[in-house]
Amino acid sequence: MSRYLLLPVNTICKDAAGVAGNIFAFGLFVSPVPTFRRIARNRSTESFSGLPYIYAFLNCLVTLWYGTPLVSYNNIMVTTVNSIGAAFQLVYIILFTTYTDKRKKVRMFGLLMVDIVLFLVIVVGSLEISDFAIRRMFVGFLSCAALISMFASPLFVINLVIRTRSVEFMPFYLSLSTFLMSASFLAYGILNNDPFVYVPNGAGTVLGIVQLGLYSYYKRTSAEEYREPLIVSYG
């Protein structure tokens, strides 16, 4: 009897983890909104770079493709979260291109076309692989590499926090969303027995823990330094 109950329980837990990951990912997707409010208000992209959105768009497209039934089994939550992510990144790219100067408009448009062409090459190339297992490995390794490089991007911010001893450039809710989303999809990948999902999200979970730990440490340190002049007398 327990054998027959195990599969539904495993499926329910997997789907719950996937839904949670989709919800927490929304926090990441909307994090650039304040930046684009400023861009729209000033009608200029100022010194902001559009490259992160170009890269994130391609990353979402590749991982979205991996989640489809044509490439992997039972990964619909991977497809949904990356479909939403790709839509957000495309909107950000369009907004950035709208408010940037002419030279950068051309560059952004060219990079967007490169993204689309690369994605089509991956799709067509993978469909040419008749063996399903090899196709899954081919797209899975690309998706895994893209996700790990995306999760590794906060290493620059972590280095900046350590050097400046300030959490100004590492918003708490962004770090928390990264950790919760990664942990959810780590559980999702484990329950689905999919290393191409749980390996990169395992790395993301560790980095999220590091970010939250640094935030807690340097936030407390900053607060103590701020309070110190209030209790020390120089009379």
Side-chain angles (χ1 to χ4, degrees):
M1 182 67 175
S2 60
R3 178 183 295 181
Y4 295 105
L5 289 174
L6 184 60
L7 181 59
V9 170
N10 181 79
T11 303
I12 290 170
C13 290
K14 175 177 73 75
D15 291 344
V19 170
N22 275 253
I23 294 171
F24 295 134
F26 190 78
L28 290 178
F29 297 150
V30 300
S31 61
V33 168
T35 298
F36 281 93
R37 282 180 178 169
R38 173 175 169 177
I39 288 173
R41 184 173 63 249
N42 297 333
R43 305 190 68 80
S44 170
T45 55
E46 301 173 25
S47 59
F48 292 111
S49 172
L51 291 180
Y53 311 108
I54 291 288
Y55 179 73
F57 180 59
L58 179 60
N59 176 50
C60 286
L61 290 178
V62 174
T63 311
L64 178 163
W65 176 237
Y66 175 75
T68 63
L70 290 171
V71 179
S72 64
Y73 296 112
N74 301 321
N75 270 324
I76 187 63
M77 294 298 176
V78 172
T79 301
T80 56
V81 71
N82 284 284
S83 298
I84 296 169
F88 269 96
Q89 302 310 319
L90 184 58
V91 170
Y92 293 145
I93 291 169
I94 292 171
L95 287 173
F96 190 93
T97 305
T98 300
Y99 290 109
T100 197
D101 59 66
K102 186 175 181 180
R103 182 178 60 84
K104 288 183 179 178
K105 283 183 193 292
V106 175
R107 185 187 183 198
M108 287 293 292
F109 181 77
L111 289 172
L112 178 60
M113 291 300 102
V114 169
D115 271 5
I116 294 171
V117 170
L118 281 175
F119 176 61
L120 291 175
V121 167
I122 291 170
V123 170
V124 173
S126 60
L127 289 176
E128 289 296 315
I129 302 173
S130 57
D131 189 298
F132 186 87
I134 296 176
R135 181 192 306 165
R136 176 174 174 268
M137 288 185 63
F138 170 69
V139 181
F141 276 118
L142 290 176
S143 172
C144 195
L147 283 170
I148 289 176
S149 62
M150 183 188 75
F151 286 133
S153 61
L155 289 174
F156 170 77
V157 177
I158 289 172
N159 180 54
L160 188 62
V161 169
I162 294 172
R163 283 194 295 106
T164 62
R165 301 180 65 83
S166 170
V167 294
E168 177 185 358
F169 304 103
M170 192 172 68
F172 172 75
Y173 289 109
L174 185 59
S175 300
L176 181 62
S177 295
T178 300
F179 167 69
L180 292 174
M181 183 200 72
S182 299
S184 296
F185 276 105
L186 169 62
Y188 180 88
I190 291 173
L191 291 168
N192 202 31
N193 194 29
D194 192 332
F196 295 119
V197 176
Y198 66 69
V199 169
N201 283 286
T205 302
V206 172
L207 281 171
I209 292 172
V210 171
Q211 285 181 279
L212 291 172
L214 285 173
Y215 187 93
S216 175
Y217 176 76
Y218 286 112
K219 188 71 173 178
R220 185 173 62 251
T221 302
S222 300
E224 289 172 356
E225 290 175 352
Y226 179 77
R227 287 196 301 268
E228 188 177 1
L230 298 179
I231 59 177
V232 176
S233 172
Y234 294 95

